[in-house]
Amino acid sequence: MSAGPLYLGFDLSTQQLKAIVIASDLKVISEAKVDFDADFAAKYNITKGVQTNEDEGEVYAPIAMWIEAMDLILTRLKEKECPIDKIRGISGSGQQHSSVYWSEHAEATLKKLDSGKTLIDQLSNAFAYEFAPNWQDHSTQTECDHFDAHLGSKQKLADATGSAAHHRFTGTQILRMRRRRPEVYNKTARISLASSFLASVFLGAIAPIDISDVTGMNLWDIAGEKWNESLLELTATKEGVPELRKKLGDVPVDGGGSMGGISPYFVERYGFSPECQIAPFTGDNPATILSLPLRPHDAIVSLGTSSTFLMNTPNYKPDPSYHFMNHPTTKGHYMFMLCYKNGGLAREKVRDELPKPSGPDPWQSFNKHVLETPPLDVRKDGDRAKLGLYFPLPEIVPNVRAGTWRYTCDGKDGTRLAEETADWGAERDARIIVESQALSMRLRSQKLVTKPDEGRPNLPAQPRRIYLVGGGSLNPAIARAFGDVLGGADGVYRLDVGGNACALGGAYKALWALERRDADESFDALIGKRWSEDSAIQKVDDGYREGVFQMYGGVLGAFEDMENRILEVAHN
Ligand code: XUL
């Protein structure tokens, strides 16, 4: 066993509560999880961790289930003989945007928890509402319209808060709560996010909302580092602002340090040391970028059923179609996030149009066509470049209805864009769909990247490293095409930190929060020194290729024009 203190990270996601314990040298010591459907489906009447009210578009989780899960996961860690007494710090993550409405009894109840009883037996009077709206909730269209209009435009809302209005963002959810369930809103003494809710129970007091997770609310003025007064007025009415401020509390700008010692409940019941400190918990996407020492201009591309693009950047250039959030540990840096609905399923649809391969790998023919088709299907000088959008599901980035569109343009400079009405065949679609997914990411991140300072002064602006995660990261043809389009001065890597990236990011955050020399020692510097690259990442592509990268640059404007033309006729 590694000597020295241990750190515990949690992740309260939609379907599970996970825990991971690491040593100071980042070795994983113990893991446990509670799976809401497997452990509690019948008791809490949930499917995939949530209940739904389809008539109103509401999706929510029972808070009692989360609380039961907390005792259960600690019991499981204990059963696995995790040395709980050596844990010196706890942090973690929660699904973003989800909100918890505490009652006036919450503070007092959290403070005097009796270790002879379970949490659920004691916390039943601590909530004004028994459910937490989930990030999949889409009941807030009216509230989104009000948020988008309130500062003048979607762009102005994004400028101020990092994002345009989204159904799941907590400000719109709180506004709806006040209008739809005024008795709940009036009874609410404090509002937590999923992350600060979890932290509160461990702290035995209501924990402040985290500086990164607060930027998933449409209420936080990022530049001013304070609640946006005008948006508070929209949410609570002018007279209601002081009351709403009390409910939301103050937000410390430092994501590190300790918020206080662990509640005696956990010391007495599970054997934690009274020295164990609670560090700020954050959102699950911010925690993902803490599961490795992600340096400025590094990007993570998650290729799952949907796709996500995350980047650590010092540049703040908001736009209604994506998100900027405060970086969870580094002041002045941001997490740039693109969330696409169409990813792996769209690629599979194209794959299934091709003749079924004879071998065991269902991707064999798809990959062959991705690799054998030249970039943009330009085979010789004068050939037109092929571009497309392949959305079996309505997309958010950009906001268009489901559909497939194919276009061509001049292969050199992107001029003479024209819609292609004929189908050019699934063989070509294989390359074009992967390129188009990467081109969309390049288009939206192009203003954020800078020339890499890797001793190669002639390199154009691009991400430093690209880390691929999720199912698609196992596919070498997809890695190659993403490298062709996005570059990556230091290459494309497959990142495998196990199935527990957010909890691991939480554990690393606890370590950094409590072991940093001073507030200036950055997360990536501290974790970078202890991180063993070899066990977590594997280089899968060289990334930047001279000539090819520039070729995609030549059609980026045409790709944007294509999206705009499609948006004119097919806006969601
Ligand atoms: C991000 C979002 C989801 C949840 C998942 O904006 O809503 O990624 O954080 O738990």
Side-chain angles (χ1 to χ4, degrees):
M1 155 111 37
S2 309
L6 304 182
Y7 297 92
L8 169 56
F10 284 101
D11 176 40
L12 175 55
S13 72
T14 304
Q15 300 197 49
Q16 293 176 329
L17 175 63
K18 297 184 220 165
I20 192 160
V21 178
I22 59 159
S24 250
D25 61 6
L26 310 188
K27 280 213 181 64
V28 173
I29 304 294
S30 195
E31 288 182 77
K33 73 166 186 213
V34 171
D35 183 287
F36 299 142
D37 279 20
D39 288 303
F40 295 127
K43 181 160 185 194
Y44 287 104
N45 192 23
I46 43 128
T47 309
K48 293 191 185 292
V50 289
Q51 294 182 13
T52 43
N53 164 12
E54 272 165 27
D55 292 346
E56 296 192 46
E58 293 179 325
V59 184
Y60 42 88
I63 294 175
M65 177 180 79
W66 288 357
I67 290 173
E68 270 207 72
M70 293 177 75
D71 269 324
L72 185 54
I73 202 163
L74 292 171
T75 306
R76 287 183 180 165
L77 271 183
K78 224 175 149 178
E79 279 165 8
K80 288 183 165 184
E81 296 181 3
C82 168
I84 290 180
D85 58 322
K86 298 212 165 51
I87 296 172
R88 282 293 173 277
I90 304 180
S91 178
S93 69
Q95 54 184 286
Q96 293 201 266
H97 322 296
S98 191
S99 41
V100 171
Y101 298 82
W102 299 96
S103 73
E104 58 175 337
H105 307 293
E107 281 285 4
T109 309
L110 284 171
K111 209 171 172 170
K112 54 167 186 30
L113 289 172
D114 173 352
S115 61
K117 298 183 186 154
T118 60
L119 291 171
I120 189 70
D121 283 343
Q122 302 177 74
L123 284 170
S124 55
N125 74 344
F127 302 98
Y129 189 48
E130 61 185 300
F131 300 107
N134 175 268
W135 61 277
Q136 297 164 95
D137 185 287
H138 48 99
S139 63
T140 53
Q141 186 56 51
T142 311
E143 289 74 19
C144 282
D145 294 343
H146 293 163
F147 265 75
D148 275 336
H150 192 71
L151 301 183
S153 67
K154 285 179 185 217
Q155 182 64 52
K156 292 218 165 89
L157 181 62
D159 289 343
T161 69
S163 299
H166 292 272
H167 292 145
R168 62 194 193 283
F169 273 52
T170 327
T172 63
Q173 291 286 339
I174 297 172
L175 173 55
R176 182 170 187 271
M177 185 64 91
R178 183 175 67 73
R179 290 173 173 168
R180 172 77 181 74
R181 298 185 173 86
E183 69 296 348
V184 168
Y185 183 81
N186 292 335
K187 265 195 330 203
T188 298
R190 295 294 304 270
I191 299 173
S192 286
L193 297 178
S195 57
S196 58
F197 154 78
L198 201 56
S200 301
V201 181
F202 284 111
L203 196 58
I206 308 281
I209 291 176
D210 165 67
I211 188 62
S212 178
D213 221 9
V214 74
T215 47
M217 299 180 79
N218 279 142
L219 290 177
W220 185 253
D221 173 347
I222 290 190
E225 298 183 338
K226 57 181 188 336
W227 295 111
N228 182 300
E229 187 70 22
S230 179
L231 294 168
L232 292 186
E233 278 180 22
L234 168 65
T235 311
T237 74
K238 202 171 174 55
E239 305 69 60
V241 169
E243 190 57 38
L244 179 57
R245 278 184 182 281
K246 259 198 247 155
K247 295 185 205 277
L248 294 169
D250 291 334
V251 178
V253 293
D254 183 8
S258 165
M259 298 192 296
I262 192 167
S263 151
Y265 175 85
F266 298 96
V267 176
E268 292 155 20
R269 193 172 171 98
Y270 296 103
F272 280 91
S273 156
E275 306 292 307
C276 177
Q277 301 295 304
I278 310 301
F281 285 39
T282 190
D284 54 1
N285 289 298
T288 302
I289 68 169
L290 301 181
S291 65
L292 73 165
L294 193 77
R295 292 187 17 203
H297 307 295
D298 284 345
I300 297 181
V301 180
S302 167
L303 299 170
T305 313
S306 55
S307 307
T308 314
F309 180 94
L310 301 170
M311 196 160 91
N312 174 359
T313 172
N315 301 317
Y316 184 69
K317 303 211 165 101
D319 180 280
S321 65
Y322 43 72
H323 310 288
F324 273 90
M325 296 187 167
N326 280 329
H327 190 282
T329 63
T330 312
K331 196 161 155 26
H333 280 228
Y334 305 93
M335 180 184 77
F336 167 72
M337 177 163 79
L338 293 168
C339 284
Y340 296 88
K341 277 201 186 148
N342 290 284
L345 281 183
R347 291 191 298 273
E348 262 174 44
K349 230 173 148 248
V350 171
R351 179 196 74 183
D352 296 340
E353 297 285 313
L354 291 163
K356 228 181 159 60
S358 49
D361 177 8
W363 291 94
Q364 191 194 354
S365 335
F366 181 93
N367 289 1
K368 176 171 167 304
H369 293 297
V370 172
L371 294 173
E372 288 179 0
T373 306
L376 302 162
D377 196 32
V378 172
R379 288 160 200 265
K380 56 178 188 331
D381 256 7
D383 275 0
R384 290 178 66 76
K386 295 189 169 61
L387 303 171
L389 291 186
Y390 301 79
F391 297 153
L393 298 171
E395 185 47 79
I396 343 176
V397 193
N399 192 6
V400 294
R401 65 162 167 78
T404 301
W405 295 269
R406 297 181 180 84
Y407 276 69
T408 61
C409 64
D410 186 288
K412 280 220 154 58
D413 58 11
T415 54
R416 297 185 295 127
L417 178 72
E419 182 162 14
E420 178 89 19
T421 40
D423 182 343
W424 55 49
E427 295 77 9
R428 287 181 169 126
D429 281 334
R431 171 115 200 152
I432 307 304
I433 185 178
V434 182
E435 287 180 342
S436 76
Q437 293 180 340
L439 274 168
S440 172
M441 295 174 183
R442 177 158 165 191
L443 174 68
R444 293 177 165 87
S445 57
Q446 64 177 338
K447 288 187 240 145
L448 306 176
V449 290
T450 50
K451 281 166 149 308
D453 56 349
E454 304 283 307
R456 291 145 78 195
N458 296 327
L459 286 188
Q462 61 188 294
R464 189 186 78 99
R465 279 188 178 186
I466 293 170
Y467 294 103
L468 302 180
V469 297
S473 71
L474 300 166
N475 183 322
I478 293 177
R480 168 78 201 238
F482 267 78
D484 282 344
V485 177
L486 290 173
D490 194 27
V492 179
Y493 296 76
R494 189 160 83 76
L495 172 70
D496 184 3
V497 290
N500 231 343
C502 307
L504 188 66
Y508 288 180
K509 187 172 194 285
L511 188 161
W512 165 79
L514 300 167
E515 286 198 17
R516 64 183 183 179
R517 263 192 329 272
D518 52 46
D520 288 334
E521 188 174 16
S522 77
F523 176 89
D524 47 300
L526 190 151
I527 297 296
K529 269 186 245 151
R530 305 183 193 183
W531 198 56
S532 138
E533 278 206 351
D534 299 346
S535 56
I537 63 173
Q538 184 196 349
K539 193 164 185 174
V540 288
D541 189 71
D542 288 337
Y544 176 73
R545 260 180 285 277
E546 177 131 17
V548 175
F549 183 82
Q550 286 74 4
M551 195 171 163
Y552 288 107
V555 300
L556 218 47
F559 189 85
E560 187 172 18
D561 290 346
M562 171 183 74
E563 283 193 349
N564 288 334
R565 283 198 204 174
I566 295 167
L567 271 170
E568 270 170 33
V569 292
H571 201 277
N572 249 329

